Each structure stands twice: as C-alpha cells, then as structure tokens.
Amino acid sequence: MRYWREAFDFHSGAYRLDFWWVQIVNTFIFASILFVSINFFNSWPLATKLSGTFSILITIPNLSLFIRRLRDTGFPVQTIMFVLMSPSLLGVSFGILVSIRLVILASIAFLIYFGWIIYLVSRRSAYWTPTLSKKQKSFYAAVISVVMILTVCFQVTALKHVTHEFRAAAQRYIQEQHQVNENRGTSVSSSYSVKNGSMSSSAQETDDNLSDASSGSSIPEKEVTELPDDFETTAYKGLTEDTIGDAEFGFFKVHGIWEQDAASLQWLQSQQNIMILTSTQGQGFGVDVASFSFKKITGQSYLSLDHVDNVQVSRIDGTYQDTTSDSIKAMTYLEWHMPDGHIRVVYLIAPSRALLNLIVKTLSESFRVG
C-alpha cells in the first residue's frame, strides 16, 4: 500500500526490500493476468489489453520508486538523472553497433547494462537500513518464495497453452494449404491472358486425347530431340536478352520484352505470344496429368540445371489449344525440388516446339538462385 500512497513521491527513499517486493508482486500480477486470460478465457487480446492497462497504471509509481531507491543509496541528483537518461544512450549505442554489424557486442552491452542497473538498485542504504529479526527474515523469504513459484507456474502453464494453440493453428493452416493444393491439382480449368488480349486459354475438359493420357498409368518416356530453327525461333534469337524471375523462385535468361502479372505469377512476352508461369508451389512428382491444361500429353523426360548441383528437373511435354484463336501451341511443364526444400514449377507455352525447346535449354543453362 505504501507503494501506491507514495506514487508521486520523488524525494524520499526506499529500502531494498521495498523495491524488490514491489517488483515481485507486479510480476506475479502480470503472470496472473496472462494465466487467467489464456487458460480461462482463451483470449490473447484480453491478456494484452489487461497487461497494457496495468502497465500504464504502474508507470509513475515504478518511476518514483526507482528514483527513491537510487536516492536511498546516496546518489546525487546528477547521477540519478544520468541513470534515467541511460536507456536513450543505450539505444544510440545499439544503433551504432548494429549499423557496423556488431550484433554480438550489442547483446553483450545489453547484459552489462542490465547488470549495472541491478547493482545500482541492490546497494545498501547510505543512511539507515532496518534490521530484520530471524522470524521476519524467514517470513519474507517464505512469502517471496511462494509468490515466485506461483509466478513461474502461471507463466509456464500459459506458455504451454499458447504453444498448444499455436501448433493447432499451424496444423490447421497446413491442412488448409494441403486442401488448396489438392483442389488446384484436381481442377482441370486454368486461364491466362496477355495484356494485348492476344493470349488466353482454358483447359479442354472433354478432350479425348487428354482423357486417354490421364487414364494411363504413367506418362511415356520420350527424349527431347533437337529441331531446326523455324521462323519463330529465329525471330526470338534476334531479340535483346533479358532476365526474369524473383528472389523466391530464382532468375533465368530470356529474350524479348517481358511483363509480369504479379497476381498470377505469369511472365508474358507479347511479341511472340509466349507465356511463362513461375511458382514455388509445386504439385509433386507423379501428379495426375488431368490436372494439367494440356490438349495432348506427348511424353516426359528429365534435364539438369547447370548452376544447381544434384537437382534433376522433370519435364512433361504436350500441346495446348488457344481458345481465342483455336491455334495449337507447344506446352511444357517443368518441376524440380531445390536443396532449400522449395519446389520450383514452370509452365511454358510457345508458338512452336523448336522455340519452346530453346527457352527450356536457356533456362536450364542460366537458372540461378537469388
């Protein structure tokens, strides 16, 4: 009660027991708020609001108690003011150490500062320290021990509950993402469009060739053969070289002017109606071919990446029918698993098989992570 009565007293003193008893009780109150809010009401926002309100209430009483404790140790006003300003000085020091990439020294500086504060408030009174009898010492020791044990129990119990809820939420999220991937995998419809409106598509749900391919037990192995340059390939080689991709997927070389549709992760080259879709959400090897928007599956093969070791890329080739023009284009699906655990996926649609083969070859030779 004296802690609250002397909330605005910045001139008298406070003994060590006065200071540490208040810190222990306030910590117990915080732990109780967390324990009750989490375990009985299952509400983290309630715990945050109550803790924030209590923190505001004890701000001034804590400040006055801290100043009284420093005054009781015999520090002059100038030293007390320096101690009160020390958090700002510590923040500046932190910023300097972090800016020159000495994070370890910043952590050490914080530990030294924290120990220094503990030393200051733990000094004996410079004026007069009350003497406690053995009975009083035993009483305070017992009460402080009980309060600290309860505080630890409350915090551990609340932490276990929060950890359990976090794991449950993470599991639900994983299941939802798995369901989304399954729905995406079983969906036969897909679409893409070019800014000029020259390229758009949807899967051929009733295509006989697709039905035959999807009903098969596996996609036939078929090596990729080199094809002579056609008009589209020659025109593509004559365009300026560019790099596309992102930090999460990686980067690779292409030719021409490419625009990215950030919503669908598609890269579009309107000069020759080429579409490249990049993603790190792979469907997994052995996926049902009906999930692809192929008009016809012609075969699968494998290739390697020149700049990534021990990674084999699975390639599925086929054809694609553009619904806006009914023209048949070459289509390829690439998938590989990176050492960092990500699955890279690439869909390519090009006007000719020779051009598509060239793009795949350039990708395998130039792909780099980061």
Side-chain angles (χ1 to χ4, degrees):
M1 294 303 298
R2 187 165 69 251
Y3 166 71
W4 292 104
R5 287 198 306 268
E6 299 176 354
F8 296 93
D9 181 8
F10 297 89
H11 302 287
S12 59
Y15 299 124
R16 285 183 295 185
L17 183 60
D18 297 331
F19 180 85
W20 289 112
W21 174 247
V22 167
Q23 305 311 313
I24 291 172
V25 171
N26 283 347
T27 303
F28 173 75
I29 293 175
F30 277 116
S32 301
I33 291 174
L34 185 64
F35 175 78
V36 173
S37 301
I38 298 298
N39 290 274
F40 289 94
F41 295 96
N42 195 26
S43 175
W44 184 260
L46 176 62
T48 303
K49 291 179 181 179
L50 293 178
S51 299
T53 302
F54 184 66
S55 298
I56 294 174
L57 291 177
I58 66 175
T59 298
I60 295 179
N62 270 352
L63 178 62
S64 63
L65 177 65
F66 183 69
I67 293 176
R68 293 199 308 272
R69 178 79 273 269
L70 295 178
R71 288 177 59 84
D72 189 62
T73 60
F75 286 119
V77 175
Q78 294 82 357
T79 303
I80 295 176
M81 292 300 297
F82 174 77
V83 175
L84 294 178
M85 292 293 296
S86 60
S88 299
L89 299 176
L90 181 66
V92 173
S93 302
F94 264 38
I96 295 175
L97 292 174
V98 172
S99 64
I100 59 179
R101 298 185 179 182
L102 295 177
V103 181
I104 296 179
L105 291 182
S107 302
I108 295 174
F110 174 78
L111 292 176
I112 294 175
Y113 174 79
F114 185 73
W116 176 63
I117 294 296
I118 296 296
Y119 166 74
L120 293 182
V121 298
S122 300
R123 287 162 52 93
R124 290 178 60 86
S125 173
Y127 307 105
W128 176 75
T129 300
T131 303
L132 301 178
S133 65
K134 290 183 178 180
K135 184 177 181 179
Q136 289 175 316
K137 290 181 179 180
S138 300
F139 170 77
Y140 279 115
V143 173
I144 289 175
S145 299
V146 171
V147 173
M148 292 181 67
I149 291 174
L150 288 175
T151 300
V152 173
C153 291
F154 284 175
Q155 290 177 334
V156 170
T157 304
L159 181 61
K160 287 183 177 180
H161 186 84
V162 171
T163 303
H164 175 75
E165 291 296 325
F166 175 79
R167 289 178 178 176
Q171 186 63 31
R172 288 194 298 269
Y173 174 79
I174 293 174
Q175 292 176 352
E176 290 175 358
Q177 292 299 311
H178 182 70
Q179 184 64 37
V180 169
N181 290 335
E182 285 185 348
N183 293 339
R184 183 184 301 172
T186 56
S187 174
V188 187
S189 299
S190 65
S191 64
Y192 70 95
S193 62
V194 173
K195 182 178 179 181
N196 296 331
S198 59
M199 182 184 296
S200 64
S201 66
S202 63
Q204 304 299 309
E205 298 181 359
T206 59
D207 186 84
D208 295 337
N209 292 324
L210 179 58
S211 299
D212 294 340
S214 62
S215 62
S217 58
S218 63
I219 303 174
E221 301 285 340
K222 184 178 180 180
E223 292 186 5
V224 178
T225 58
E226 291 191 12
L227 299 174
D229 289 353
D230 55 10
F231 173 79
E232 297 288 351
T233 306
T234 303
Y236 178 82
K237 289 181 177 180
L239 299 175
T240 57
E241 189 177 65
D242 193 7
T243 300
I244 65 173
D246 53 50
E248 183 179 12
F249 175 83
F251 300 90
F252 56 93
K253 300 291 186 180
V254 290
H255 288 263
I257 301 174
W258 293 77
E259 297 180 357
Q260 183 183 23
D261 180 3
S264 59
L265 305 177
Q266 296 175 4
W267 293 89
L268 308 169
Q269 197 252 66
S270 57
Q271 297 114 305
Q272 296 175 284
N273 285 350
I274 307 173
M275 187 279 287
I276 298 179
L277 182 147
T278 61
S279 175
T280 57
Q281 300 295 325
Q283 300 182 45
F285 286 105
V287 67
D288 182 4
V289 295
S291 63
F292 302 133
S293 51
F294 285 102
K295 175 178 176 58
K296 181 179 180 180
I297 301 294
T298 58
Q300 67 175 350
S301 58
Y302 302 94
L303 57 98
S304 60
L305 303 174
D306 289 0
H307 299 291
V308 183
D309 297 331
N310 302 321
V311 174
Q312 188 179 58
V313 181
S314 174
R315 171 176 176 172
I316 299 178
D317 289 309
T319 59
Y320 181 86
Q321 183 171 2
D322 189 340
T323 56
T324 60
S325 62
D326 291 332
S327 62
I328 304 299
K329 295 182 172 66
M331 180 172 178
T332 288
Y333 170 81
L334 305 175
E335 179 180 284
W336 62 91
H337 294 247
M338 297 294 291
D340 60 4
H342 281 158
I343 299 176
R344 265 59 169 182
V345 166
V346 179
Y347 280 95
L348 299 97
I349 299 178
S352 70
R353 178 62 56 185
L355 176 56
L356 190 146
N357 288 345
L358 175 61
I359 296 174
V360 173
K361 182 175 182 293
T362 305
L363 187 153
S364 64
E365 293 175 345
S366 62
F367 175 80
R368 294 181 183 272
V369 179

